């Protein structure tokens, strides 16, 4: 369960599905994206809706549409951070470590923050998911056989899955111990959260984001209110656990100092901004914790979340 806006998961049965559908509901047909009505109207132009229709997660099974002319503000929204576009993938000079990512991917943002906090030297390989760069045979053969981001190429050694990447680089001494401990007791606590969050926090936050914000841009259909309430209920069950269990006695998720666990979790929760969900309203401990995580990670945190801030229309200091 990794590296994509999750959209193949049903909490009641914990099994894969092409999309979330209620009983008896037929599979929706893809139509031209249209504007939302009411409170769920996204804060973006139809041009950017077309753009993000292309970035329909990192799923190689989906059919993508070509990018059409973007307004300057939309181009800035997704490309302001300076990244190098991945082109002619096997003609590039090999560097020590190549990092392939897109800032619309939650674990991509987490790894970018961790790498920069660690002072690692790496080559920025920005994969434009909206252009389907990850869906080519070239990408599959030369970069990641699963056709997803994030992934790395460490002097010829190719590795996907964000948590596996963290453990691999930690074993090489690239990740400082305060972010990912080597002492087995402290490491076990961090690993406990990383294993927990994949099928809980990550699944439900990403599914809420996709159903409420992304799917309507692709289909032009507003989700039913009952579906929204169900997804919010599942998501808030896990946010309750963050608030009442993981943050019950400490300032960070696994102790008194920040670790990779906090960075992965914060990136998942920040994604819900784009679905008009403000976690700060209901969860005071999470609100204070997010401030601590951002402060500990800046300026890298804000750089990684620039796209989220821009699309959601809410900055890191936005008032409740």
């Amino acid at each position: 369960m990794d590296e994509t806006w999750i959209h193949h998961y049903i909490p009641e049965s914990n099994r894969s599905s092409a999309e979330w559908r209620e009983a008896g509901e037929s599979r929706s047909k893809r139509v031209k994206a249209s504007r939302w009505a009411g409170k769920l109207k996204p804060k973006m132009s139809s041009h950017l809706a077309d753009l993000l229709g292309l970035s329909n997660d990192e799923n190689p099974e989906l059919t993508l549409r070509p990018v059409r002319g973007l307004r300057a503000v939309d181009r800035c929204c997704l490309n302001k951070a300076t990244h190098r576009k991945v082109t002619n993938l096997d003609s590039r000079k090999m560097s020590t470590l190549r990092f392939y990512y897109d800032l619309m991917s939650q674990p991509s943002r987490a790894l970018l923050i961790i790498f920069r906090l660690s002072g690692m030297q790496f080559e920025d390989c920005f994969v434009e998911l909206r252009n389907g760069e990850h869906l080519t045979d070239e990408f599959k053969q030369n970069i990641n056989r699963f056709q997803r981001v994030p992934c790395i190429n460490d002097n010829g050694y190719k590795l996907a899955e964000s948590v596996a990447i963290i453990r691999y680089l930690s074993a090489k001494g690239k990740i400082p111990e305060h972010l990912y401990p080597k002492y087995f007791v402290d490491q076990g606590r961090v690993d406990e959260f990383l294993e927990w969050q994949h099928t809980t926090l990550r699944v439900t936050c990403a599914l809420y984001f996709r159903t409420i914000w992304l799917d309507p841009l692709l289909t032009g259909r507003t989700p039913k209110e009952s579906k929204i309430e169900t997804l919010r209920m599942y998501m808030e069950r896990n946010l309750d656990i963050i608030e009442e269990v993981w943050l019950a006695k400490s300032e960070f998720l696994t102790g008194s100092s920040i670790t990779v666990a906090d960075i992965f979790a914060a990136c998942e929760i920040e994604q819900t901004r784009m679905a008009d969900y403000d976690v700060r309203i209901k969860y005071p401990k999470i609100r204070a914790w997010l401030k601590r995580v951002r402060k500990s990670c800046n300026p890298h945190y804000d750089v990684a979340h620039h796209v989220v801030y821009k699309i959601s229309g809410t900055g890191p200091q936005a008032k409740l």
Side-chain angles (χ1 to χ4, degrees), residues 55 121 140 148 196 207 230 233 236 264 268 288 320:
S55 182
Q121 297 296 316
K140 184 176 182 179
R148 296 178 178 179
W196 175 84
L207 187 56
T230 298
M233 176 189 68
E236 289 186 344
F264 275 103
E268 293 298 337
L320 292 173

Side-chain angles (χ1 to χ4, degrees), residues 156-207:
Y157 179 69
K158 303 170 187 176
L159 188 63
E161 300 296 317
S162 57
V163 173
I165 291 170
I166 287 295
R167 290 170 177 160
Y168 166 76
L169 293 173
S170 173
K172 291 191 66 174
K174 301 294 186 180
I175 308 293
E177 289 193 43
H178 70 272
L179 288 178
Y180 188 72
K182 291 189 180 297
Y183 177 52
F184 67 93
V185 172
D186 296 334
Q187 186 183 102
R189 190 63 66 200
V190 174
D191 284 341
E192 180 183 36
F193 179 83
L194 294 176
E195 299 296 340
W196 175 84
Q197 68 102 22
H198 264 310
T199 56
T200 52
L201 183 70
R202 173 157 173 69
V203 166
T204 53
C205 285
L207 187 56

Side-chain angles (χ1 to χ4, degrees), residues 21-246:
R21 302 192 305 277
E22 296 186 357
E25 183 180 354
S26 61
R27 186 183 301 277
S28 60
K29 295 182 178 179
R30 183 168 298 172
V31 297
K32 184 177 180 180
S34 64
R35 292 189 176 183
W36 284 39
K39 296 182 179 179
L40 296 176
K41 181 179 179 180
K43 303 176 181 65
M44 60 191 300
S45 72
S46 59
H47 292 282
L48 189 53
D50 283 340
L51 178 79
L52 291 174
L54 287 170
S55 182
N56 189 14
D57 200 39
E58 292 89 311
N59 190 331
E61 298 177 359
L62 296 177
T63 301
L64 304 180
R65 301 191 303 274
V67 177
R68 294 179 174 82
L70 294 176
R71 300 184 312 162
V73 65
D74 292 337
R75 192 177 298 109
C76 174
C77 174
L78 282 163
N79 296 320
K80 186 172 182 179
T82 57
H83 300 293
R84 184 182 304 169
K85 180 179 178 181
V86 175
T87 57
N88 196 11
L89 298 173
D90 56 2
S91 67
R92 303 171 60 167
K93 182 179 179 180
M94 176 68 71
S95 63
T96 301
L97 178 68
R98 294 182 183 179
F99 176 41
Y100 299 88
Y101 67 102
D102 187 321
L103 293 181
M104 284 298 287
S105 160
Q106 302 94 305
S108 286
R109 295 197 300 269
L111 286 187
L112 179 64
I113 294 168
I114 294 165
F115 287 3
R116 291 188 173 175
L117 285 175
S118 303
M120 288 176 48
Q121 297 296 316
F122 62 91
E123 182 180 354
D124 266 325
C125 298
F126 186 64
V127 181
E128 294 196 26
L129 301 174
R130 63 188 181 277
N131 287 339
E133 290 183 348
H134 60 306
L135 302 180
T136 65
D137 290 338
E138 188 179 15
F139 189 96
K140 184 176 182 179
Q141 294 171 6
N142 299 328
I143 297 176
N144 183 0
R145 55 187 173 171
F146 303 118
Q147 296 184 279
R148 296 178 178 179
V149 296
C151 59
I152 64 170
N153 184 325
D154 185 18
N155 198 26
Y157 179 69
K158 303 170 187 176
L159 188 63
E161 300 296 317
S162 57
V163 173
I165 291 170
I166 287 295
R167 290 170 177 160
Y168 166 76
L169 293 173
S170 173
K172 291 191 66 174
K174 301 294 186 180
I175 308 293
E177 289 193 43
H178 70 272
L179 288 178
Y180 188 72
K182 291 189 180 297
Y183 177 52
F184 67 93
V185 172
D186 296 334
Q187 186 183 102
R189 190 63 66 200
V190 174
D191 284 341
E192 180 183 36
F193 179 83
L194 294 176
E195 299 296 340
W196 175 84
Q197 68 102 22
H198 264 310
T199 56
T200 52
L201 183 70
R202 173 157 173 69
V203 166
T204 53
C205 285
L207 187 56
Y208 184 84
F209 157 75
R210 179 181 173 86
T211 303
I212 293 177
W213 188 83
L214 184 61
D215 282 350
L217 292 178
L218 302 175
T219 67
R221 297 178 58 182
T222 302
K224 293 181 179 179
E225 189 62 32
S226 59
K227 182 183 294 186
I228 295 173
E229 291 299 322
T230 298
L231 295 175
R232 184 184 296 118
M233 176 189 68
Y234 283 117
M235 180 177 68
E236 289 186 344
R237 284 181 183 176
N238 293 305
L239 292 172
D240 288 342
I241 296 173
I242 296 288
E243 180 89 359
E244 299 168 6
V245 178
W246 291 104

